[in-house]
Amino acid sequence: MNRDLEELTRKQYDVVVLGGGIYGACIAWDATLRGLSVALIEQKDFGHATSANSHKVVHGGLRYLQHADLKRMRESIRERTNLMRIAPHLVHPLPCIMPTYGHLMKGREMMAMALFLNDLISFDRNKLDDPQKQIPAGKVVSRDECLELLPGIDASGLTGGAVWYDAQMYNSERLTLAFVRSAAERGARVANYVKATGLVWEEGQVAGVHAVDQLSGNALEIQGRLVVNATGPWIDALLRSFGIEREDVQLGIRLAKGVSIATREIFAHTAAGLSSRNGDPGVPEENRLFFITPWHGRSIIGTTYTLYEQHPDNMTVTIDDVREVLEQVNAIYPPAKLTLDDVSYAYCGLLPASNVNEETGSVKRAGHYQIRDHAEAGLPGLLSVLGVKYTTARDVAEKVVTRVFHMIGRSPVPTCSDKTPLHGGDINGFEKFMTGEMKRNRPGLPPQHLQSLLYNYGSAYPQLLDYLDSRATASGERTDYGALLRAQTRYAVNEEMAQRLGDVVFRRTELHVDDTLDESCLALCARTMAQEAGWSAEREQAEIDDVKATIKAMPGLTL
């Protein structure tokens, strides 16, 4: 995956996609598979914003039952299966449990009915051949079983627990990257750190974008028959930056800031949905359900939503945000007894808001995506796409690309993005793949490090091994962590378009979540990147300083 900006400007594309988050990545992948020529640009790194700041859960839409929204439920169930099919190394089944109380809405009987309906609606959930990807039927467990799984929960009125399965992303950053890289391998021209600055017009039609290379400052012009604005929280801000202020053009998005935290492990083997009971103090109505999800030996807890009214560029997660999550989860589950010292990382993203209470500022996450053809407002050739959840991004992308075909006057080609494996996803049975590669262990890696490679890179991991220093493996001795980290960094620079040190630390490796990030690891990555990219000593130090500043501003993350 090469960042060739000169090549990017040499032709007219069928579609130019703005935004390299999960929605832009999926649009580029689907369009490329269906035979369209595609350019994709991202103002920072791929998946750097909301797409990386998810709860990591691929929801099957169980909660839609309460609104009888079977259409969205089926979409979620289908896309959960599709993601496990095309990225089997990155998406895996996840057991979940929710306590049942009494015999009303939160009672055993009601939840048993909900699980029965969920299984009925998801009748085709196990059409994958891989045994590891099977989603068991839901069930209601006894009071004692629930207390064993969730020790210390409120036992007053407890009647049991509702158990069901969803799925979880092992690494959401690498899943987004897999879509981008897969599109690039099929012919899409992609580039990070390229910011759109204006629209190109030709005979009254949008015909591409003016852009600037954020690394060199050079101006670019990228031509396209259609431009798709898939910049998420930046959709309206980007239109305003183009000088488009009209309300009938903009989507009028209000934003909700979603915050989740990673802490010491609370529940080891299952995700738990815990609800506030009897109006627990300090827990606003919109945040009355918390998910506590096991992930990488930690728990991800969230999500709290608050109204956000600043420019998306200014969004940060603060100590106060983290304290709010801690206060609320401790109110809902007092045995957690979480403090700031227990927080290892904080996630923050911006999502479309709904049900805004102007007096209290309370807000909920919007439930429906939007696809807006701006031709109706006098801007033919411009399409905006606003997503609401990671799970269904591929499905929305399929709908967008079908719309693109019609807009450029071509008959839509059927999609195969729901069946075609992503980069690294060419795996026939995940457990079989893991067992075989762990036994083989060609570079002599410690088992936990090899396992991490297999989960993150899947079937493509041998390509990374090519970047191991031959001296590290020639003797047959066990490969040390430093050699592996150098190989991952070299691979990120040469194969995955990593341009900045932060790209490697936060989005190409697991350094920021696996307790190995320290001064020496940071220096090793920086030195390796400097050698691969030809950085000066000044640039190398500046990159280190920039990552340190990011870490310092991130509650819970330390060197």
Side-chain angles (χ1 to χ4, degrees):
M1 190 165 69
N2 297 317
R3 187 176 183 270
D4 189 338
L5 301 190
E6 184 177 345
E7 183 68 24
L8 189 67
T9 62
R10 282 181 179 167
K11 61 179 284 187
Q12 182 190 55
Y13 299 90
D14 291 319
V15 57
V16 177
V17 181
L18 310 181
I22 187 58
Y23 277 79
C26 285
I27 291 167
W29 170 233
D30 191 83
T32 304
L33 276 181
R34 294 164 78 175
L36 298 178
S37 57
V38 179
L40 168 69
I41 59 173
E42 162 58 48
Q43 67 172 342
K44 292 187 179 179
D45 190 27
F46 303 118
H48 79 282
T50 302
S51 298
N53 294 312
S54 74
H55 203 73
K56 318 299 181 188
V57 177
V58 180
H59 289 287
L62 177 62
R63 66 188 177 91
Y64 295 143
L65 265 180
Q66 61 185 316
H67 303 296
D69 193 343
L70 302 188
K71 179 178 181 294
R72 279 198 294 168
M73 197 172 175
R74 282 295 300 167
E75 288 173 350
S76 298
I77 292 165
R78 183 176 63 247
E79 291 310 307
R80 182 181 64 192
T81 300
N82 288 337
L83 286 174
M84 288 195 292
R85 177 190 295 112
I86 66 179
H89 55 308
L90 289 167
V91 185
H92 307 274
L94 173 72
C96 307
I97 184 171
M98 183 179 293
T100 62
Y101 291 95
H103 302 283
L104 298 176
M105 292 303 296
K106 295 182 180 180
R108 272 178 72 98
E109 296 82 5
M110 189 63 72
M111 289 306 299
M113 178 60 71
L115 295 178
F116 171 77
L117 291 173
N118 182 54
D119 292 339
L120 191 64
I121 295 165
S122 62
F123 65 94
D124 56 351
R125 65 188 182 278
N126 288 327
K127 60 184 179 181
L128 299 181
D129 293 333
D130 186 347
Q132 192 258 349
K133 304 302 181 189
Q134 299 300 293
I135 300 292
K139 62 181 180 180
V140 174
V141 299
S142 69
R143 183 179 187 275
D144 289 344
E145 288 176 289
C146 185
L147 287 171
E148 184 178 345
L149 290 169
L150 306 177
I153 61 169
D154 185 358
S156 174
L158 181 69
T159 55
V163 175
W164 75 99
Y165 278 71
D166 267 325
Q168 184 178 47
M169 293 175 273
Y170 182 84
N171 188 324
S172 59
E173 294 90 338
R174 292 203 61 83
L175 182 53
T176 302
L177 183 67
F179 277 102
V180 175
R181 184 165 182 182
S182 299
E185 289 174 345
R186 293 296 183 111
R189 295 295 179 184
V190 305
N192 51 4
Y193 295 99
V194 175
K195 181 178 182 178
T197 57
L199 296 172
V200 174
W201 289 88
E202 187 175 306
E203 298 180 356
Q205 172 95 10
V206 173
V209 294
H210 299 289
V212 62
D213 176 7
Q214 302 276 66
L215 302 179
S216 69
N218 293 335
L220 310 169
E221 183 178 299
I222 306 169
Q223 298 180 352
R225 299 175 66 186
L226 188 69
V227 173
V228 175
N229 180 1
T231 56
W234 284 266
I235 283 180
D236 283 347
L238 183 65
L239 293 173
R240 286 193 293 270
S241 75
F242 292 168
I244 301 171
E245 301 280 354
R246 288 162 42 200
E247 292 185 3
D248 61 333
V249 176
Q250 297 190 11
L251 272 65
I253 306 166
R254 301 194 74 178
L255 298 173
K257 178 180 176 180
V259 177
S260 299
I261 60 175
T263 71
R264 58 174 166 78
E265 192 170 73
I266 307 300
F267 305 123
H269 305 297
T270 184
L274 301 183
S275 297
S276 169
R277 299 188 68 202
N278 304 319
D280 290 326
V283 184
E285 182 179 354
E286 68 275 9
N287 296 330
R288 290 271 167 87
L289 176 65
F290 269 75
F291 259 84
I292 303 176
T293 308
W295 189 73
H296 292 243
R298 296 179 173 84
S299 287
I300 297 181
I301 303 174
T303 301
T304 61
Y305 295 103
T306 55
L307 185 63
Y308 183 86
E309 298 187 286
Q310 301 178 45
H311 193 285
D313 284 349
N314 301 326
M315 189 272 295
T316 59
V317 58
T318 68
I319 286 288
D320 287 341
D321 293 327
V322 173
R323 286 196 179 105
E324 181 179 356
V325 179
L326 291 173
E327 179 182 346
Q328 293 180 26
V329 75
N330 283 335
I332 289 174
Y333 183 60
K337 297 180 180 178
L338 293 170
T339 69
L340 283 172
D341 291 338
D342 295 313
V343 178
S344 57
Y345 199 74
Y347 299 90
C348 184
L350 296 176
L351 296 162
S354 68
N355 298 94
V356 177
N357 186 315
E358 301 295 347
E359 294 183 2
T360 65
S362 68
V363 64
K364 293 183 179 180
R365 187 180 69 176
H368 297 278
Y369 64 85
Q370 296 183 50
I371 302 175
R372 176 78 64 84
D373 181 354
H374 296 290
E376 302 165 359
L379 291 108
L382 179 63
L383 191 71
S384 288
V385 183
L386 180 66
V388 294
K389 56 189 293 189
Y390 198 116
T391 300
T392 53
R394 192 220 60 86
D395 179 68
V396 175
E398 178 184 338
K399 293 177 172 65
V400 169
V401 175
T402 297
R403 180 82 67 93
V404 168
F405 271 103
H406 290 301
M407 292 174 70
I408 64 175
R410 291 174 55 180
S411 297
V413 174
T415 189
C416 58
S417 62
D418 57 338
K419 299 178 178 63
T420 306
L422 295 176
H423 181 86
D426 190 10
I427 295 170
N428 183 20
F430 184 74
E431 288 184 348
K432 179 182 176 182
F433 164 74
M434 287 288 292
T435 301
E437 296 304 325
M438 292 293 287
K439 287 181 178 178
R440 188 174 294 114
N441 197 358
R442 286 167 288 184
L445 287 167
Q448 71 271 24
H449 294 153
L450 177 59
Q451 179 174 294
S452 173
L453 291 186
L454 296 174
Y455 273 95
N456 280 300
Y457 300 91
S459 59
Y461 93 102
Q463 299 172 19
L464 182 141
L465 300 183
D466 291 340
Y467 284 88
L468 278 171
D469 189 328
S470 59
R471 292 170 297 178
T473 57
S475 65
E477 296 178 357
R478 178 159 288 194
T479 304
D480 66 28
Y481 182 66
L484 176 60
L485 190 55
R486 284 194 297 272
Q488 287 183 284
T489 304
R490 294 177 63 201
Y491 183 80
V493 172
N494 291 283
E495 307 289 345
E496 298 183 328
M497 209 179 286
Q499 302 296 312
R500 306 286 306 273
L501 181 59
D503 301 343
V504 172
V505 172
F506 300 115
R507 286 173 293 280
R508 303 299 188 279
T509 68
E510 292 183 294
L511 272 174
H512 67 296
V513 298
D514 66 2
D515 291 331
T516 59
L517 182 59
D518 57 22
E519 293 273 5
S520 62
C521 283
L522 196 60
L524 177 61
C525 286
R527 185 166 63 251
T528 304
M529 284 197 79
Q531 293 167 351
E532 295 296 311
W535 289 350
S536 65
E538 293 77 14
R539 169 74 184 276
E540 181 180 344
Q541 187 58 51
E543 292 288 335
I544 291 175
D545 292 343
D546 184 67
V547 169
K548 285 184 175 180
T550 300
I551 291 171
K552 185 177 181 180
M554 182 67 68
L557 192 58
T558 59
L559 278 177

